[in-house]
């Protein structure tokens, strides 16, 4: 059998593609994932944590509100739609989102877990991609497809100086698995910034007076950035801003991403408030040992197995001073990074890379000249900070489907923002020296 496309990796974005293509009779795809089943960031499935986007950012609604794989349809089938309505919170719980994804997968026979892609070749004669796979039950498989969609996601990032410590340290991706072990230690330190670091700090803060550990959060950021969520800023998660960002020079895009981290890596305002209020309430009745420190760049990390201690050295960037910090438990909330999968090596000659070795992603989300290899959530440096946003998943998938079929199945919005991001052709004037006022 020859598939129109083979999608590798089943995260939220490729799962959204599966939901949207499931109802298209003339588009035949297969979805492959090496994991035994779907479990979305299981190490961070804390009881009360929510997504940072409204429930409408599900797999299908922003492309097709009538699609049977919508979150509201899921709630209706579970008998929870009125409870969700009464809850009056647009943001679904992270556990709820995970269960919603699993519900969708159970209805999608084209999605296959326990299937690891080992190698991808390209047959010039037939114009087909040949995926050599290992299936847990069927053994070796050969899958043929006309196009590829890479949704292999990101992997936990560990700073170079910490990589030899990971038998003792914990990355935030594995937090829940190690939570009880961490709470048995006399001190715990979280290094990093962003939502994950805040959620872990808040979670450990709940039991600090029960277990008696000291709790520290250290970040190199100049402050604990809230996620900016004003309406005019949200307009930047738009087709217009993707177009604007994409057409900037690459050096300018990299500069912008560095300055825009608080737009997609910030902390929910409610969580920042909850952390402060919890510390305030607990300090009224007990002298808990906590700290929060900014402007601190981790420059040395050593683990002493005899003392079972981490000895960390930080550089306070504003004061330009080094200081030492000792802790028994270490959590690295240092985020995630993209990498090119090993199975792509035989077809690397077909792939466009930029000067930094990253995918040179075309505006239509392809990474080859022929327009046959698409990527999901690998275009941060070309399409901007909206790349990992669940709310833009439908927009990207509608693009991919249109490119595959040569026709628009799901209407793709061209303009949704009230503001303009670029200088229009009619406004451009002859460059002059700026006047000093």
């Amino acid at each position: 059998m020859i598939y129109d496309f083979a999608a590798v990796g089943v995260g939220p974005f490729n799962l959204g593609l599966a939901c949207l293509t499931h109802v298209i009779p003339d588009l035949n795809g297969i979805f492959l994932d090496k994991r035994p089943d779907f479990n979305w960031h299981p190490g961070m499935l804390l009881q009360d944590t929510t997504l940072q986007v409204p429930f409408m950012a599900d797999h299908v609604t922003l492309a097709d509100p009538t699609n049977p794989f919508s979150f509201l349809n899921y709630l209706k089938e579970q008998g929870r739609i009125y409870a969700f309505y009464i809850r009056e919170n647009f943001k679904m719980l992270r556990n709820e989102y995970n269960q919603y994804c699993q519900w969708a997968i159970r209805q999608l026979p084209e999605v296959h877990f326990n299937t690891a892609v080992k190698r991808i070749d390209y047959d010039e004669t037939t114009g087909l991609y040949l995926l050599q796979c290992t299936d847990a039950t069927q053994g070796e498989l050969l899958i043929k497809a006309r196009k590829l969609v890479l949704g292999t996601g990101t992997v936990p990032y560990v700073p170079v100086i910490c990589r030899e410590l990971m038998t003792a340290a914990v990355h935030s991706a594995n937090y829940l698995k190690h939570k009880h072990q961490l709470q048995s230690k006399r001190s715990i330190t979280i290094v990093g910034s962003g939502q994950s670091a805040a959620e872990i700090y808040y979670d450990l803060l709940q039991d600090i007076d029960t277990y008696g550990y000291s709790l520290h959060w250290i970040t190199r950021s100049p402050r604990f950035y809230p996620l900016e969520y004003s309406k005019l800023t949200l307009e930047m998660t738009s087709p217009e801003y993707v177009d604007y960002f994409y057409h900037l020079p690459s050096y300018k895009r990299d500069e912008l991403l560095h300055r825009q981290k608080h737009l997609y890596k910030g902390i929910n305002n409610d969580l920042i408030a909850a952390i402060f209020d919890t510390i305030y309430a607990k300090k009224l009745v007990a002298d808990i040992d906590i700290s929060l420190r900014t402007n601190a760049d981790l420059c040395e990390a050593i683990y002493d197995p005899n003392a079972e201690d981490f000895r960390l050295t930080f550089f306070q960037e504003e004061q330009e001073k080094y200081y030492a910090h000792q802790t028994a438990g270490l959590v690295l909330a240092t985020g995630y990074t993209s990498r090119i999968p090993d199975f792509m090596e035989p077809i690397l000659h077909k792939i466009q890379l930029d000067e930094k070795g990253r995918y040179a992603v075309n505006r239509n989300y392809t990474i080859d000249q022929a327009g046959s290899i698409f990527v999901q959530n690998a275009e941060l440096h070309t399409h901007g900070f909206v790349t990992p946003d669940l709310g833009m998943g439908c927009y990207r998938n509608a693009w991919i489907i249109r490119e595959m079929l040569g026709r628009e199945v799901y209407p793709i919005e061209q303009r949704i923002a009230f503001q303009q991001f670029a200088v229009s052709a009619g406004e451009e004037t002859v460059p002059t020296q700026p006047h000093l006022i």
Side-chain angles (χ1 to χ4, degrees):
M1 181 177 184
I2 297 174
Y3 293 95
D4 292 320
F5 69 93
V8 185
V10 183
F13 296 123
N14 262 349
L15 180 53
L17 183 64
C19 293
L20 288 170
T21 56
H22 181 75
V23 295
I24 303 175
D26 56 338
L27 188 57
N28 181 23
I30 186 170
F31 296 78
L32 311 168
D33 197 293
K34 65 183 179 181
R35 297 171 298 170
D37 51 31
F38 184 95
N39 214 6
W40 192 61
H41 295 302
M44 288 298 295
L45 288 177
L46 305 173
Q47 176 179 290
D48 298 318
T49 55
T50 66
L51 299 188
Q52 291 182 291
V53 292
F55 72 90
M56 286 178 65
D58 62 12
H59 300 316
V60 296
T61 295
L62 291 172
D64 176 15
T66 67
N67 191 288
F69 289 101
S70 72
F71 177 68
L72 287 180
N73 193 40
Y74 160 75
L75 285 178
K76 187 66 176 178
E77 287 197 9
Q78 306 305 306
R80 286 209 314 274
I81 196 165
Y82 278 96
F84 186 82
Y85 165 68
I86 293 168
R87 179 171 168 259
E88 290 191 330
N89 190 328
F90 265 25
K91 295 176 182 176
M92 63 179 101
L93 293 166
R94 195 175 292 162
N95 271 303
E96 189 169 34
Y97 180 74
N98 192 45
Q99 292 168 15
Y100 160 61
C101 292
Q102 292 167 346
W103 166 82
I105 287 167
R106 288 193 293 270
Q107 303 173 71
L108 295 166
E110 56 267 44
V111 176
H112 301 265
F113 285 88
N114 273 317
T115 306
V117 177
K118 298 298 185 182
R119 177 186 175 96
I120 300 180
D121 291 282
Y122 183 73
D123 186 334
E124 296 283 353
T125 304
T126 60
L128 297 176
Y129 290 98
L130 309 177
L131 290 77
Q132 297 181 22
C133 308
T134 302
D135 184 272
T137 56
Q138 300 179 57
E140 300 297 318
L141 293 175
L142 179 64
I143 292 171
K144 300 178 181 181
R146 296 183 180 90
K147 298 182 186 297
L148 298 176
V149 184
L150 303 178
T152 50
T154 54
V155 294
Y157 172 73
V158 176
V160 174
I161 59 173
C162 296
R163 288 175 189 171
E164 294 183 3
L165 313 178
M166 294 314 293
T167 54
V170 176
H171 191 275
S172 59
N174 302 310
Y175 166 65
L176 278 181
K177 180 180 178 181
H178 297 278
K179 176 181 174 179
H180 295 304
Q181 179 187 0
L182 285 166
Q183 288 185 312
S184 68
K185 300 181 182 296
R186 64 185 179 279
S187 57
I188 308 169
T189 299
I190 301 156
V191 174
S193 60
Q195 184 73 6
S196 293
E199 288 174 355
I200 292 170
Y201 190 79
Y202 181 64
D203 190 54
L204 291 171
L205 196 59
Q206 308 307 306
D207 299 320
I208 189 171
D209 35 16
T210 302
Y211 290 93
Y213 44 74
S214 61
L215 182 60
H216 312 278
W217 181 7
I218 306 176
T219 175
R220 68 181 176 184
S221 297
R223 59 191 177 96
F224 295 100
Y225 284 110
L227 186 70
E228 191 172 340
Y229 215 69
S230 63
K231 292 180 181 180
L232 289 178
T233 297
L234 283 176
E235 279 198 336
M236 293 170 71
T237 56
S238 64
E240 299 100 297
Y241 191 78
V242 174
D243 285 332
Y244 167 73
F245 186 91
Y246 181 82
H247 288 101
L248 292 172
S250 60
Y251 78 90
K252 183 65 69 174
R253 294 197 300 252
D254 287 344
E255 287 177 6
L256 269 176
L257 284 175
H258 182 72
R259 300 202 303 265
Q260 290 176 342
K261 288 185 178 179
H262 60 289
L263 300 181
Y264 67 107
K265 289 187 175 182
I267 308 164
N268 287 349
N269 276 289
D270 290 346
L271 181 56
I272 293 174
I275 289 171
F276 183 92
D277 291 348
T278 302
I279 293 172
Y280 184 90
K282 286 185 178 291
K283 276 188 170 289
L284 286 177
V285 295
D287 187 22
I288 58 172
D289 184 7
I290 61 100
S291 70
L292 300 102
R293 305 186 74 159
T294 57
N295 290 298
D297 190 18
L298 180 63
C299 51
E300 186 179 41
I302 300 169
Y303 181 68
D304 183 345
N306 296 319
E308 296 186 339
D309 264 346
F310 295 91
R311 295 169 187 179
L312 311 176
T313 302
F314 291 92
F315 180 66
Q316 215 285 1
E317 295 180 334
E318 292 182 347
Q319 291 182 303
E320 297 186 353
K321 291 181 179 180
Y322 292 93
Y323 66 92
H325 178 81
Q326 194 165 326
T327 185
L330 176 62
V331 180
L332 299 175
T334 46
Y336 297 80
T337 187
S338 299
R339 63 178 179 83
I340 299 175
D342 294 338
F343 59 70
M344 294 291 290
E345 187 174 348
I347 58 171
L348 280 180
H349 64 281
K350 292 177 62 65
I351 292 173
Q352 304 166 163
L353 300 176
D354 68 9
E355 67 280 359
K356 294 185 178 180
R358 304 171 296 191
Y359 293 134
V361 188
N362 299 315
R363 179 61 184 87
N364 67 352
Y365 304 100
T366 58
I367 55 173
D368 65 320
Q369 289 186 351
S372 60
I373 306 175
F374 298 86
V375 290
Q376 299 262 32
N377 194 17
E379 70 280 6
L380 182 70
H381 56 288
T382 55
H383 290 60
F385 75 94
V386 302
T387 294
D389 192 300
L390 291 176
M392 289 296 282
C394 282
Y395 171 76
R396 178 171 49 218
N397 280 329
W399 258 82
I400 292 173
I401 292 167
R402 183 181 68 180
E403 294 299 304
M404 286 184 178
L405 285 173
R407 71 176 194 275
E408 192 171 84
V409 178
Y410 301 106
I412 299 173
E413 284 78 2
Q414 301 298 316
R415 288 195 57 83
I416 64 101
F418 294 136
Q419 60 189 295
Q420 293 78 43
F421 302 106
V423 176
S424 68
E427 295 174 317
E428 192 171 353
T429 61
V430 176
T432 58
Q433 293 294 321
H435 296 288
L436 296 178
I437 298 175

